[in-house]
């Protein structure tokens, strides 16, 4: 990754959280600026237009002592609105002489092709479970803890290849009980438990009434800023466990369909509910058919 | 004009108000006994809002509500005349802002001598005559000029020495509802077609208009049982031709059908009710949406699950299918809504009407089996925004140490952070103050504001943090402003160079924190009364899910 000499902007993408940012931190010099425009919600276009453009268009004062360009790191680029992305694409090209951009995103699917084609893509994979286990062990050694292997494996498995979550659950396990026992339970985050509960409620009863109750639960999740995409994913994962082969495909298709439409719309609850309603309808029919097959 | 020529001259002539239990009678009794009831000699109990109240003895004011043209104003005037009260009328054409009301009316109401003075000038001998204040069209008191008018009116009612009669069309308007708590509530309903027909026939006879009864019925229905409207139509047509056939009337009444506004509650009822759909064309259904297109769709989304569609009677599969279809068109409507609002494509509104109101109404056609509820989306959305703001704040503080995005803060850090920082504070009190926050550069104001701690623990926590505050080598305010990352080396430089300045900035922070604390106290109390556990109140980010 010797990008300092390249003439290209760089786009890093990878599952959250891989080592994207870390790698950039380690390599990047002290002379970079890091901006997260999507913090400004739908004003992100202004951030791009004002801050980045000014930063990018200004020449370095003393080109002999420094590099001839600045580095601007943009995080969470996939959260940018389309407007902001369009504002970015011109800036990227125009000021290539004075400014290099490093874009960080979780997925390239929400980045417009115009930006993709202007970047050198670098995919940073999420750490494997093995890697996580070894990191967990190193950390415990440094902290002076003894971590039994089964527990480390369990944490790594539960973390969903998310290193941050793994380390945080390690810490949580420690506050919960130390010395560790190999069979110690790894507590899942509250919202995950709640999401699972929601899925169970959907499977248990299919009726407008139950849909109404589920709506309340989804609201609760949304209120606490759980991204609706995560809700979709979590629900789908739980729901397909109760389906057989052909139904699995159908349900997944439905989820994808509604998730896509959610991106086009503005009120997430409408789309989550539409998905759940569709699932309930399909699932109820499926259950009754399989019941009548038995008898 | 027929309307004035045939205005009822006595209580007996008002259409639909002759009975013993009629509103006119009730109002008459209330007004007659007003002086006795309000003299203070009797102990009055506030009647329960659900109990049937025929006397209204408790109230100092009456509220007449009902659709236009059914005779509210006429009733009020005639009743006042009957009991020999002077009428002071204020209607929408008078300014009724808070100021105007308090200046003009309150004097009028509390001063008996003024009444005497006024009547003396007019030369009548009735110096001791009673007065009644008619506030017509109180639901019009919502515009800019009339700001605060309803509140002032309520205050007036409380301190009034004369009876007040208020009139309005929309009883369910939020402003009127607050007023209704202080008023003897009399609801006027539309008279039946036959009742109007009888009176109209006699008018026609006297005017020499020949009209078939069915043509008259058409006209009455077409004008929505509005007596005033019917009379207007009659006088208009009679000027044109003296013989009216039902065909012409039908055509005209269609055209003249009064556009009247109905509230979102009623819209929601109408959208789903099968009986209301009878005789409605698709255009009528679309126009339901346009009564209030910003909130109407939310009402429909909130309530569609409570409808029992008639097409799926008893068939649970069919029912779920209909629900799924409805949910999907609602999602469609959301997509259109976004297009409208972000690209200001307002020409799409009729399309949205189809998706968010007509289609759901068609799929779920039936009856509502529960009360229409206010959309919860609004409250939930603002709650979500609040939490979003809090997590953003948390992120700006923690960003220097961690690389996580906002989403990661919510999904991963929040609960752990609660365990690590707040739980010791709650369980161990002041001894539980840890250095945990220091390492994430959390400033106490953020922190304290988010925790529902006992005040002495909070104080200890603040003290400890203040002691350590000098260690924080930069002010968080600057981070928020620049939103740029200060690298570790820069920090060290700052640490040495700006120690003195930092102290000042910290002081600022402390005062800021103090202010926030005051604000949050009440919030804390509120949440305690809700009965949630202390531990779950921990951080602002704490998931209430624990309790569920």
């Amino acid at each position: 990754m010797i990008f300092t000499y390249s003439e290209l902007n760089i786009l890093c993408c990878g599952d959250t959280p891989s080592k994207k940012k870390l790698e950039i931190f380690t390599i990047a010099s002290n002379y970079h600026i890091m901006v997260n425009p999507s913090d400004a919600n739908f004003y992100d276009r202004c951030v791009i237009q004002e801050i980045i453009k000014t930063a990018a268009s200004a020449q370095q004062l003393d080109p002999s002592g420094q590099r001839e360009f600045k580095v601007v790191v943009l995080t969470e680029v996939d959260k940018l609105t389309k407007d902001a992305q369009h504002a970015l694409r011109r800036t990227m090209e125009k000021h290539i002489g004075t400014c290099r951009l490093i874009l960080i995103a979780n997925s390239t699917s929400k980045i417009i092709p115009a930006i993709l084609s202007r970047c050198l893509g670098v995919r940073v994979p999420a750490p494997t479970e093995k890697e996580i286990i070894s990191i967990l062990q190193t950390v415990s050694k440094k902290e002076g803890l003894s971590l039994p292997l089964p527990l480390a494996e369990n944490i790594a498995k539960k973390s969903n290849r998310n290193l941050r979550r793994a380390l945080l659950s390690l810490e949580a396990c420690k506050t919960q009980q130390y010395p560790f026992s190999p069979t110690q339970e790894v507590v899942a985050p509250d919202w995950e438990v709640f999401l699972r509960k929601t899925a169970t409620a959907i499977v248990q009863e299919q009726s407008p009434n139950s849909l109404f109750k589920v709506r309340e639960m989804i609201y609760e999740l949304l209120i606490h800023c759980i991204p609706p995409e995560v809700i979709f994913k979590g629900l789908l994962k739980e729901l397909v466990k109760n389906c057989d082969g052909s139904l699995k495909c159908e349900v997944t298709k439905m989820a994808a369909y509604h998730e896509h439409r959610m991106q086009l719309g503005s009120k997430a609850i409408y789309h989550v509910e539409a998905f759940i309603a569709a699932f309930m309808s399909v699932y109820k029919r499926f259950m009754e058919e399989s019941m009548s097959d038995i008898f | 004009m027929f309307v004035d020529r045939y205005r009822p001259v006595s209580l007996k002539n008002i259409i639909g108000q002759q009975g013993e239990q009629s509103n006119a009678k009730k109002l008459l009794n209330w007004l007659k006994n007003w002086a006795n009831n309000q003299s203070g000699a009797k102990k009055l109990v506030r009647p329960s809002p659900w109990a049937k109240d025929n006397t209204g003895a408790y109230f100092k004011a009456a509220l007449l509500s009902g659709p236009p043209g059914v005779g509210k104003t006429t009733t009020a005037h005639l009743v006042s005349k009957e009991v020999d009260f002077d009428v002071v009328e204020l209607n929408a054409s008078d300014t009724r802002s808070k100021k105007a009301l308090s200046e003009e009316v309150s004097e009028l109401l509390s001063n008996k001598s003024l009444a005497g003075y006024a009547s003396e000038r007019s030369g009548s001998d009735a110096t001791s005559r009673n007065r009644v204040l008619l506030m017509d069209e109180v639901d019009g008191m919502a515009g800019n000029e009339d700001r605060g008018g309803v509140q002032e009116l309520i205050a007036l009612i409380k301190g009034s020495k004369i009876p007040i009669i208020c009139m309005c069309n929309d009883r369910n308007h939020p402003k009127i509802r607050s007023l209704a708590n202080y008023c003897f509530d009399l609801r006027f309903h539309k008279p039946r077609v036959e009742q109007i027909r009888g009176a109209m026939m006699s008018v026609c006879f006297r005017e020499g208009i020949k009209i078939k009864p069915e043509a008259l019925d058409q006209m009455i229905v077409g004008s929505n049982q509005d007596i005033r409207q019917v009379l207007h139509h009659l006088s208009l047509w009679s000027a044109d031709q003296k013989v009216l056939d039902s065909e012409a009337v039908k055509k005209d009444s269609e055209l003249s059908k009064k556009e009247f506004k109905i509230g979102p509650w009623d819209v929601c009822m109408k959208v789903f009710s099968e009986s209301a759909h009878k005789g409605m064309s698709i255009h009528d259904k679309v126009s339901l949406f346009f009564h209030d297109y910003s909130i109407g769709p939310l009402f429909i989304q909130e309530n569609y699950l409570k409808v029992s569609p008639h097409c799926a009677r008893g068939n649970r599969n069919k029912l779920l299918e209909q629900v799924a279809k409805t949910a999907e068109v609602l999602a469609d409507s959301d997509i259109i809504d976004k297009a409208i609002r972000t690209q200001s494509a307002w020409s799409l509104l009729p399309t949205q009407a189809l998706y968010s109101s007509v289609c759901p109404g068609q799929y779920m056609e039936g009856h509502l089996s529960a009360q229409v509820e206010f959309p919860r989306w609004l409250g939930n959305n603002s709650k979500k925004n609040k939490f979003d703001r809090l997590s953003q704040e948390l992120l700006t503080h923690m960003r220097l140490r961690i690389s996580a995005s906002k989403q990661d803060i919510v999904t991963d850090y929040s609960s752990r952070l609660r365990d690590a920082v707040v739980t010791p504070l709650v369980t161990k009190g002041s001894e539980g103050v840890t250095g945990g926050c220091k390492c994430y550069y959390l400033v106490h104001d953020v922190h304290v504001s988010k925790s529902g701690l006992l005040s002495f623990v909070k104080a200890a926590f603040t003290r400890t943090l203040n002691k350590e505050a000098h260690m924080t080598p930069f002010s968080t305010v600057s981070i928020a402003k620049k939103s740029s990352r200060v690298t570790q080396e820069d920090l060290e430089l700052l640490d040495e160079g700006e120690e003195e300045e930092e102290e000042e900035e910290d002081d600022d922070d402390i005062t800021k924190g103090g202010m926030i604390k005051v604000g949050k106290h009440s919030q804390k109390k509120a949440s305690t009364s809700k009965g949630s556990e202390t531990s779950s109140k921990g951080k602002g980010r704490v998931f209430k899910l624990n309790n569920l």
Side-chain angles (χ1 to χ4, degrees):
Chain A
M1 279 252 275
I2 311 164
F3 61 86
T4 19
Y5 296 105
S6 82
E7 281 295 303
L8 271 169
N9 297 307
I10 293 177
L11 173 77
C12 291
C13 64
D15 300 324
T16 172
S18 41
K19 299 164 284 183
K20 291 166 300 196
K21 280 190 202 165
L22 208 61
E23 268 171 42
I24 287 162
F25 290 160
T26 44
I27 301 167
S29 63
N30 299 325
Y31 305 109
H32 78 271
I33 311 168
M34 190 156 165
V35 184
N36 184 0
S38 51
D39 281 355
N41 288 330
F42 48 88
Y43 297 114
D44 51 0
R45 189 174 52 91
C46 309
V47 175
I48 300 269
Q49 279 176 337
E50 291 303 318
I51 299 180
I52 298 178
K53 218 163 147 193
T54 5
S57 56
Q59 296 280 344
Q60 288 286 53
L61 278 177
D62 177 20
S64 56
Q66 300 159 313
R67 303 230 177 273
E68 65 272 31
F69 54 79
K70 284 166 273 190
V71 177
V72 175
V73 180
L74 295 180
T75 54
E76 294 179 60
V77 182
D78 48 352
K79 293 250 171 61
L80 288 182
T81 57
K82 290 272 143 40
D83 281 348
Q85 294 192 26
H86 282 294
L88 191 60
R89 57 191 257 200
R90 193 72 200 114
T91 317
M92 280 170 89
E93 246 175 6
K94 211 169 157 193
H95 305 293
I96 192 83
T98 50
C99 178
R100 301 283 188 284
L101 290 177
I102 302 177
L103 313 181
I104 304 177
N106 285 342
S107 143
T108 51
S109 64
K110 278 178 200 156
I111 298 173
I112 56 171
I115 288 191
L116 281 182
S117 79
R118 284 174 173 79
C119 292
L120 167 72
V122 178
R123 194 173 190 291
V124 186
T128 59
E129 278 181 25
K130 253 189 205 153
E131 283 171 330
I132 292 182
I133 292 171
S134 72
I135 290 171
L136 285 177
Q137 279 166 334
T138 330
V139 170
S140 343
K141 206 181 276 168
K142 278 190 184 160
E143 289 282 319
L145 311 169
S146 71
L147 179 69
L149 190 62
L151 181 63
E153 274 167 355
N154 198 9
I155 291 177
K157 207 172 145 213
K158 286 266 173 66
S159 72
N160 212 359
R161 289 179 66 189
N162 183 331
L163 183 55
R164 175 182 299 127
R165 191 172 301 168
L167 285 171
L168 284 166
S169 4
L170 177 66
E171 204 178 337
C173 285
K174 196 209 143 202
T175 38
Q176 194 184 40
Q177 177 188 356
Y178 189 78
F180 295 121
S181 83
T183 52
Q184 190 176 351
E185 204 188 330
V186 181
V187 189
D190 305 335
W191 60 272
E192 255 185 32
V193 177
F194 192 74
L195 194 59
R196 232 170 280 144
K197 230 160 114 194
T198 315
T200 329
I202 297 171
V203 175
Q204 259 167 5
E205 192 195 334
Q206 294 85 37
S207 71
N209 215 348
S210 120
L211 181 55
F212 188 74
K213 280 178 203 143
V214 170
R215 180 203 283 174
E216 295 292 297
M217 295 167 95
I218 301 282
Y219 264 140
E220 194 68 35
L221 284 166
L222 286 173
I223 285 174
H224 290 91
C225 302
I226 305 297
E229 294 84 6
V230 174
I231 296 179
F232 258 114
K233 222 168 154 182
L235 280 183
L236 178 67
K237 241 183 201 164
E238 291 298 315
L239 291 180
V240 290
K241 282 183 193 160
N242 298 293
C243 305
D244 74 348
S246 62
L247 198 60
K248 262 187 185 128
C249 295
E250 201 181 330
V251 172
T252 314
K253 196 181 125 199
M254 275 181 339
Y257 171 72
H258 287 288
E259 206 260 358
H260 169 66
R261 281 153 54 94
M262 186 179 68
Q263 306 300 336
L264 301 174
S266 55
K267 300 186 186 83
I269 186 80
Y270 279 49
H271 302 275
V272 179
E273 196 172 290
F275 166 60
I276 296 171
F279 173 80
M280 277 186 172
S281 167
V282 169
Y283 187 72
K284 180 102 177 159
R285 208 171 340 115
F286 161 75
M287 284 304 279
E288 272 173 22
E289 273 164 21
S290 53
M291 283 296 240
S292 62
D293 283 351
I294 295 167
F295 300 113
Chain B
M1 294 285 262
F2 289 2
V3 180
D4 297 314
R5 202 180 302 161
Y6 297 104
R7 183 181 286 280
V9 283
S10 81
L11 272 178
K12 273 174 239 144
N13 293 351
I14 306 174
I15 298 169
Q17 300 293 339
Q18 287 97 344
E20 202 51 44
Q21 287 295 311
S22 69
N23 284 327
K25 206 81 191 169
K26 282 188 208 164
L27 189 66
L28 184 69
N29 288 333
W30 174 77
L31 210 53
K32 259 189 199 158
N33 300 323
W34 195 87
N36 283 339
N37 285 332
Q38 303 297 336
S39 61
K42 265 195 247 175
K43 181 102 175 123
L44 296 168
V45 247
R46 188 190 187 86
S48 118
W50 294 282
K52 215 167 164 193
D53 181 17
N54 283 334
T55 60
Y58 171 79
F59 298 106
K60 285 184 163 182
L63 175 70
L64 313 187
S65 56
V70 295
K72 297 183 298 296
T73 315
T74 314
T75 310
H77 274 281
L78 287 177
V79 166
S80 318
K81 205 174 130 199
E82 185 93 8
V83 292
D84 213 24
F85 274 47
D86 266 346
V87 173
V88 181
E89 186 176 332
L90 286 179
N91 56 29
S93 51
D94 309 305
T95 334
R96 294 174 300 187
S97 65
K98 191 172 154 76
K99 209 173 142 205
L101 267 182
S102 61
E103 275 178 10
E104 294 172 23
V105 187
S106 59
E107 281 177 28
L108 197 69
L109 293 192
S110 54
N111 242 333
K112 280 221 161 157
S113 63
L114 191 70
Y117 176 65
S119 39
E120 222 174 62
R121 271 225 300 215
S122 68
S124 101
D125 56 344
T127 38
S128 61
R129 266 179 77 167
N130 289 315
R131 296 183 149 244
V132 56
L133 176 68
L134 284 195
M135 295 292 297
D136 210 345
E137 296 149 44
V138 276
D139 45 0
M141 288 169 89
N144 249 339
E145 294 96 74
D146 294 347
R147 183 150 293 159
V150 173
Q151 275 67 39
E152 185 62 26
L153 183 59
I154 292 173
L156 275 182
I157 290 173
K158 282 183 191 160
S160 168
K161 290 192 179 116
I162 64 167
I164 300 176
I165 300 175
C166 307
M167 273 163 268
C168 70
N169 291 134
D170 185 4
R171 168 71 178 69
N172 283 324
H173 193 280
K175 283 211 168 117
I176 303 300
R177 266 189 284 173
S178 61
L179 177 65
N181 290 332
Y182 302 94
C183 294
F184 177 35
D185 195 6
L186 291 171
R187 298 180 194 206
F188 281 68
H189 299 285
K190 290 178 195 165
R192 288 193 309 279
V193 176
E194 309 91 73
Q195 287 175 314
I196 305 178
R197 193 207 296 138
M200 291 306 113
M201 286 308 257
S202 74
V203 171
C204 292
F205 178 74
R206 275 195 266 172
E207 288 292 321
I209 305 169
K210 289 200 178 68
I211 182 166
K212 284 186 192 148
E214 55 267 34
L216 194 56
D217 280 1
Q218 289 280 359
M219 196 189 282
I220 295 167
V221 173
S223 61
N224 238 312
Q225 274 114 299
D226 180 339
I227 305 166
R228 181 167 39 204
Q229 193 81 5
V230 176
L231 278 169
H232 274 309
H233 283 314
L234 276 179
S235 71
L236 200 66
W237 278 316
S238 68
D240 197 24
Q241 62 204 83
K242 287 283 176 190
V243 182
L244 296 172
D245 61 2
S246 70
E247 271 308 297
V249 169
K250 189 175 180 186
K251 223 171 83 195
D252 281 4
S253 68
E254 283 286 300
L255 288 174
S256 69
K257 207 166 218 177
K258 220 172 162 186
E259 280 291 323
F260 62 103
K261 259 198 133 45
I262 51 176
W265 275 270
D266 295 329
V267 168
C268 193
M269 290 279 261
K270 280 215 165 112
V271 162
F272 291 119
S273 117
E274 193 184 23
S275 50
H277 280 185
K278 269 179 202 147
M280 264 175 140
S281 70
I282 191 162
H283 297 293
D284 296 334
K285 287 178 189 166
V286 169
S287 67
L288 275 181
F289 166 81
F290 282 103
H291 278 294
D292 190 345
Y293 56 77
S294 54
I295 205 164
L298 292 175
F299 266 91
I300 287 165
Q301 197 263 345
E302 178 69 39
N303 290 296
Y304 79 95
L305 290 175
K306 291 184 198 135
V307 184
S308 352
H310 288 167
C311 66
R313 206 168 291 195
N315 184 344
R316 300 191 62 80
N317 279 346
K318 176 87 177 156
L319 175 66
L320 276 173
E321 230 169 75
Q322 296 296 338
V323 168
K325 272 188 198 165
T326 317
E328 194 172 339
V329 287
L330 285 174
D332 280 325
S333 83
D334 174 53
I335 296 174
I336 298 168
D337 186 55
K338 188 180 180 192
I340 292 176
R341 306 221 174 236
T342 55
Q343 298 154 26
S344 8
W346 293 98
S347 58
L348 283 175
L349 266 184
T351 323
Q352 201 203 350
L354 280 179
Y355 277 113
S356 69
S357 152
V358 180
C359 286
Q362 210 56 41
Y363 286 138
M364 301 293 284
E365 193 175 51
H367 65 274
L368 267 167
S369 44
Q371 234 180 349
V372 178
E373 288 204 38
F374 190 78
R376 248 160 286 190
W377 185 82
L378 294 165
N380 286 337
N381 195 43
S382 64
K383 255 191 240 162
K384 188 199 143 193
N385 288 341
K386 184 185 142 206
F387 277 120
D388 195 49
R389 228 174 26 246
L390 287 176
S391 54
Q392 180 68 49
E393 220 172 287
L394 216 63
L395 175 65
T396 32
H397 284 286
M398 288 165 73
R399 177 170 283 155
L400 292 157
R401 192 60 176 240
I402 62 172
S403 61
S405 66
K406 191 155 77 186
Q407 183 196 327
D408 301 323
I409 294 252
V410 175
T411 52
D412 295 333
Y413 271 101
S414 55
S415 51
R416 310 296 184 221
L417 203 60
R418 178 195 64 207
D419 294 343
V421 180
V422 184
T423 317
L425 286 177
V426 176
T427 49
K428 283 188 260 164
S430 48
E431 290 140 43
V433 179
T434 56
C437 18
K438 199 190 98 199
C439 70
Y440 285 128
Y441 302 119
L442 290 176
V443 178
H444 78 283
D445 62 329
V446 177
H447 219 78
V448 172
S449 69
K450 286 177 193 170
S451 47
L453 299 171
L454 296 169
S455 55
F456 72 90
V457 183
K458 218 187 259 179
F461 184 58
T462 316
R463 237 175 287 129
T464 322
L465 266 179
N466 284 350
K467 240 183 271 162
E468 289 171 1
H470 303 291
M471 310 282 275
T472 325
F474 51 84
S475 113
T476 39
V477 182
S478 64
I479 308 164
K481 275 182 191 154
K482 284 177 202 154
S483 81
S484 61
R485 190 176 189 286
V486 192
T487 55
Q488 208 60 42
E489 279 185 21
D490 292 344
L491 292 185
E492 280 163 23
L493 284 173
L494 270 174
D495 203 1
E496 288 164 14
E498 295 187 9
E499 198 118 68
E500 280 183 22
E501 274 180 48
E502 292 308 326
E503 277 180 27
E504 281 172 27
E505 274 167 339
D506 281 331
D507 282 342
D508 283 348
D509 267 353
I510 293 157
T511 46
K512 223 171 59 189
M515 262 144 57
I516 289 168
K517 261 194 288 177
V518 177
K520 295 289 167 178
H521 262 300
S522 55
Q523 199 187 337
K524 191 183 98 191
K525 272 178 208 150
S527 59
T528 323
S529 63
K530 262 188 250 158
S532 55
E533 295 165 33
T534 349
S535 61
S536 76
K537 277 188 292 172
K539 274 213 139 275
R541 304 261 62 269
V542 162
F543 287 80
K544 277 240 183 88
L545 316 185
N546 278 341
N547 297 348
L548 292 165

